[in-house]
Amino acid sequence: MLVKTPAIKLGVEVRDSRVEDDRLILAGVANAMPCTVEIGGKELLRLAGKLMRPAVIGLALRALFSKAD
């Protein structure tokens, strides 16, 4: 995953996910720095709603059924 900001571009790799204290915790690395993302219930529902678009679902299905790189 690539995260772009006005100041820097970061290559982000999510290596672990878990639920802790009613929050989704994603842990991984951003370039060479360890990082975590904490997503609460309302944020998670909002994100899930944005991901339920036909174009995103189509992308997920194509990735699921495509040959490995």
Side-chain angles (χ1 to χ4, degrees):
M1 166 181 355
L2 180 64
V3 177
K4 295 180 182 180
T5 70
I8 191 169
K9 293 179 186 177
L10 295 172
V12 177
E13 180 182 334
V14 177
R15 295 183 175 173
D16 183 43
S17 64
R18 64 186 182 281
V19 175
E20 194 174 283
D21 298 325
D22 294 329
R23 298 181 73 71
L24 174 63
I25 310 294
L26 303 174
V29 293
N31 287 350
M33 299 176 292
C35 65
T36 60
V37 175
E38 299 182 11
I39 305 172
K42 289 183 181 181
E43 292 171 311
L44 187 58
L45 286 175
R46 202 170 352 168
L47 182 60
K50 291 180 185 286
L51 294 175
M52 292 298 154
R53 297 182 323 194
V56 177
I57 293 170
L59 176 63
L61 290 174
R62 284 192 305 275
L64 181 64
F65 294 113
S66 71
K67 294 181 181 180
D69 293 304

